[in-house]
Short mmCIF file of all heavy atoms in Angstrom, two decimals:
data_model
loop_
_atom_site.label_atom_id
_atom_site.label_comp_id
_atom_site.label_asym_id
_atom_site.label_seq_id
_atom_site.Cartn_x
_atom_site.Cartn_y
_atom_site.Cartn_z
N PRO A 1 -8.21 -112.99 -48.78
CA PRO A 1 -9.20 -112.71 -47.73
C PRO A 1 -10.26 -113.79 -47.62
O PRO A 1 -10.75 -114.07 -46.52
CB PRO A 1 -9.81 -111.37 -48.16
CG PRO A 1 -8.77 -110.75 -49.03
CD PRO A 1 -8.12 -111.88 -49.75
N TYR A 2 -10.61 -114.38 -48.74
CA TYR A 2 -11.61 -115.45 -48.71
C TYR A 2 -11.05 -116.69 -48.02
O TYR A 2 -11.74 -117.35 -47.24
CB TYR A 2 -12.07 -115.78 -50.12
CG TYR A 2 -12.89 -114.69 -50.78
CD1 TYR A 2 -12.35 -113.93 -51.81
CD2 TYR A 2 -14.18 -114.43 -50.36
CE1 TYR A 2 -13.10 -112.92 -52.42
CE2 TYR A 2 -14.94 -113.43 -50.96
CZ TYR A 2 -14.39 -112.68 -51.98
OH TYR A 2 -15.14 -111.70 -52.57
N TYR A 3 -9.79 -117.00 -48.32
CA TYR A 3 -9.18 -118.18 -47.69
C TYR A 3 -8.83 -117.94 -46.23
O TYR A 3 -8.68 -118.89 -45.46
CB TYR A 3 -7.94 -118.61 -48.49
CG TYR A 3 -8.27 -119.57 -49.61
CD1 TYR A 3 -8.44 -119.11 -50.91
CD2 TYR A 3 -8.45 -120.93 -49.36
CE1 TYR A 3 -8.76 -119.99 -51.94
CE2 TYR A 3 -8.76 -121.81 -50.38
CZ TYR A 3 -8.92 -121.34 -51.66
OH TYR A 3 -9.25 -122.22 -52.67
N ALA A 4 -8.72 -116.69 -45.84
CA ALA A 4 -8.34 -116.39 -44.45
C ALA A 4 -9.55 -116.29 -43.53
O ALA A 4 -9.39 -116.22 -42.31
CB ALA A 4 -7.56 -115.08 -44.40
N GLN A 5 -10.77 -116.32 -44.08
CA GLN A 5 -11.94 -116.11 -43.23
C GLN A 5 -12.16 -117.28 -42.28
O GLN A 5 -11.80 -118.43 -42.57
CB GLN A 5 -13.19 -115.88 -44.09
CG GLN A 5 -13.65 -117.09 -44.90
CD GLN A 5 -14.82 -116.78 -45.82
OE1 GLN A 5 -15.90 -116.39 -45.36
NE2 GLN A 5 -14.60 -116.95 -47.12
N ARG A 6 -12.77 -116.99 -41.16
CA ARG A 6 -13.19 -118.01 -40.21
C ARG A 6 -14.68 -117.84 -39.98
O ARG A 6 -15.21 -116.73 -39.97
CB ARG A 6 -12.42 -117.89 -38.89
CG ARG A 6 -10.97 -118.35 -39.00
CD ARG A 6 -10.87 -119.84 -39.29
NE ARG A 6 -9.50 -120.30 -39.44
CZ ARG A 6 -8.88 -120.44 -40.60
NH1 ARG A 6 -9.52 -120.11 -41.74
NH2 ARG A 6 -7.64 -120.89 -40.65
N LEU A 7 -15.35 -118.93 -39.79
CA LEU A 7 -16.81 -118.91 -39.70
C LEU A 7 -17.26 -118.50 -38.30
O LEU A 7 -16.67 -118.92 -37.29
CB LEU A 7 -17.38 -120.28 -40.05
CG LEU A 7 -17.05 -120.78 -41.46
CD1 LEU A 7 -17.57 -122.20 -41.66
CD2 LEU A 7 -17.65 -119.85 -42.51
N SER A 8 -18.29 -117.70 -38.26
CA SER A 8 -18.91 -117.30 -36.99
C SER A 8 -20.20 -118.11 -36.83
O SER A 8 -21.20 -117.82 -37.48
CB SER A 8 -19.20 -115.79 -37.00
OG SER A 8 -19.83 -115.41 -35.81
N TRP A 9 -20.17 -119.09 -35.96
CA TRP A 9 -21.30 -120.00 -35.82
C TRP A 9 -22.37 -119.41 -34.91
O TRP A 9 -22.07 -118.72 -33.95
CB TRP A 9 -20.84 -121.35 -35.27
CG TRP A 9 -19.92 -122.08 -36.20
CD1 TRP A 9 -18.56 -122.15 -36.12
CD2 TRP A 9 -20.31 -122.81 -37.37
NE1 TRP A 9 -18.07 -122.89 -37.16
CE2 TRP A 9 -19.11 -123.32 -37.95
CE3 TRP A 9 -21.53 -123.09 -37.98
CZ2 TRP A 9 -19.12 -124.08 -39.10
CZ3 TRP A 9 -21.54 -123.85 -39.13
CH2 TRP A 9 -20.35 -124.34 -39.69
N ARG A 10 -23.61 -119.70 -35.25
CA ARG A 10 -24.75 -119.22 -34.47
C ARG A 10 -25.81 -120.32 -34.41
O ARG A 10 -25.74 -121.30 -35.14
CB ARG A 10 -25.34 -117.97 -35.13
CG ARG A 10 -25.84 -118.21 -36.55
CD ARG A 10 -26.30 -116.93 -37.24
NE ARG A 10 -26.83 -117.20 -38.57
CZ ARG A 10 -26.10 -117.31 -39.67
NH1 ARG A 10 -24.77 -117.18 -39.59
NH2 ARG A 10 -26.66 -117.56 -40.83
N ASP A 11 -26.77 -120.12 -33.55
CA ASP A 11 -27.86 -121.08 -33.42
C ASP A 11 -28.71 -121.06 -34.70
O ASP A 11 -29.09 -119.99 -35.19
CB ASP A 11 -28.71 -120.71 -32.21
CG ASP A 11 -29.84 -121.70 -31.97
OD1 ASP A 11 -29.85 -122.77 -32.60
OD2 ASP A 11 -30.72 -121.39 -31.14
N CYS A 12 -29.01 -122.22 -35.24
CA CYS A 12 -29.83 -122.34 -36.45
C CYS A 12 -31.32 -122.21 -36.19
O CYS A 12 -32.10 -122.04 -37.12
CB CYS A 12 -29.61 -123.71 -37.10
SG CYS A 12 -28.16 -123.84 -38.13
N GLY A 13 -31.71 -122.39 -34.93
CA GLY A 13 -33.14 -122.51 -34.65
C GLY A 13 -33.61 -123.93 -34.78
O GLY A 13 -34.80 -124.22 -34.60
N VAL A 14 -32.69 -124.84 -35.10
CA VAL A 14 -32.98 -126.27 -35.18
C VAL A 14 -32.09 -126.95 -34.16
O VAL A 14 -30.87 -126.88 -34.27
CB VAL A 14 -32.71 -126.82 -36.60
CG1 VAL A 14 -32.99 -128.32 -36.65
CG2 VAL A 14 -33.53 -126.08 -37.64
N PRO A 15 -32.66 -127.62 -33.17
CA PRO A 15 -31.84 -128.21 -32.11
C PRO A 15 -30.76 -129.14 -32.67
O PRO A 15 -31.01 -129.96 -33.54
CB PRO A 15 -32.87 -129.00 -31.28
CG PRO A 15 -34.16 -128.29 -31.51
CD PRO A 15 -34.11 -127.82 -32.94
N GLY A 16 -29.54 -128.95 -32.17
CA GLY A 16 -28.44 -129.81 -32.56
C GLY A 16 -27.63 -129.29 -33.73
O GLY A 16 -26.64 -129.94 -34.12
N PHE A 17 -28.01 -128.15 -34.31
CA PHE A 17 -27.31 -127.64 -35.49
C PHE A 17 -26.89 -126.19 -35.28
O PHE A 17 -27.58 -125.42 -34.61
CB PHE A 17 -28.20 -127.74 -36.73
CG PHE A 17 -28.56 -129.15 -37.08
CD1 PHE A 17 -29.74 -129.72 -36.61
CD2 PHE A 17 -27.73 -129.94 -37.88
CE1 PHE A 17 -30.08 -131.03 -36.91
CE2 PHE A 17 -28.06 -131.24 -38.19
CZ PHE A 17 -29.24 -131.80 -37.71
N GLN A 18 -25.77 -125.84 -35.90
CA GLN A 18 -25.28 -124.47 -35.92
C GLN A 18 -25.21 -123.99 -37.37
O GLN A 18 -25.05 -124.80 -38.29
CB GLN A 18 -23.88 -124.39 -35.29
CG GLN A 18 -23.83 -124.76 -33.83
CD GLN A 18 -22.40 -124.77 -33.32
OE1 GLN A 18 -21.51 -125.35 -33.94
NE2 GLN A 18 -22.17 -124.11 -32.19
N CYS A 19 -25.32 -122.70 -37.56
CA CYS A 19 -25.29 -122.13 -38.91
C CYS A 19 -24.24 -121.03 -38.99
O CYS A 19 -23.85 -120.43 -37.98
CB CYS A 19 -26.66 -121.56 -39.28
SG CYS A 19 -27.91 -122.82 -39.60
N ALA A 20 -23.78 -120.76 -40.21
CA ALA A 20 -22.80 -119.71 -40.45
C ALA A 20 -22.93 -119.25 -41.89
O ALA A 20 -23.69 -119.82 -42.68
CB ALA A 20 -21.39 -120.23 -40.17
N THR A 21 -22.18 -118.21 -42.22
CA THR A 21 -22.18 -117.66 -43.58
C THR A 21 -20.76 -117.66 -44.11
O THR A 21 -19.84 -117.18 -43.44
CB THR A 21 -22.74 -116.23 -43.59
OG1 THR A 21 -24.09 -116.25 -43.10
CG2 THR A 21 -22.74 -115.67 -45.00
N LEU A 22 -20.58 -118.20 -45.31
CA LEU A 22 -19.29 -118.23 -45.98
C LEU A 22 -19.31 -117.20 -47.10
O LEU A 22 -20.27 -117.12 -47.87
CB LEU A 22 -19.03 -119.62 -46.57
CG LEU A 22 -17.73 -119.80 -47.35
CD1 LEU A 22 -16.55 -119.91 -46.39
CD2 LEU A 22 -17.80 -121.05 -48.24
N ARG A 23 -18.27 -116.40 -47.21
CA ARG A 23 -18.15 -115.42 -48.29
C ARG A 23 -17.31 -116.00 -49.43
O ARG A 23 -16.30 -116.66 -49.20
CB ARG A 23 -17.53 -114.13 -47.78
CG ARG A 23 -18.41 -113.36 -46.81
CD ARG A 23 -17.73 -112.10 -46.31
NE ARG A 23 -16.58 -112.41 -45.47
CZ ARG A 23 -15.31 -112.28 -45.83
NH1 ARG A 23 -15.01 -111.83 -47.05
NH2 ARG A 23 -14.33 -112.57 -45.00
N ALA A 24 -17.74 -115.74 -50.66
CA ALA A 24 -17.02 -116.21 -51.84
C ALA A 24 -17.12 -115.15 -52.93
O ALA A 24 -18.06 -114.35 -52.94
CB ALA A 24 -17.60 -117.53 -52.34
N PRO A 25 -16.18 -115.12 -53.85
CA PRO A 25 -16.32 -114.20 -54.98
C PRO A 25 -17.45 -114.66 -55.90
O PRO A 25 -17.62 -115.86 -56.12
CB PRO A 25 -14.97 -114.28 -55.69
CG PRO A 25 -14.35 -115.56 -55.25
CD PRO A 25 -14.92 -115.88 -53.90
#
């Protein structure tokens, strides 16, 4: 499940950058 995840990108609040959350054990 960890290797199958895909990132959901969102606005970072910093122009030009996107942020996401990665899950790990």
Side-chain angles (χ1 to χ4, degrees):
Y2 291 108
Y3 272 97
Q5 67 185 300
R6 287 295 178 264
L7 300 175
S8 178
W9 295 101
R10 60 186 183 275
D11 183 10
C12 278
V14 179
F17 297 93
Q18 297 175 312
C19 288
T21 300
L22 178 76
R23 292 179 292 106

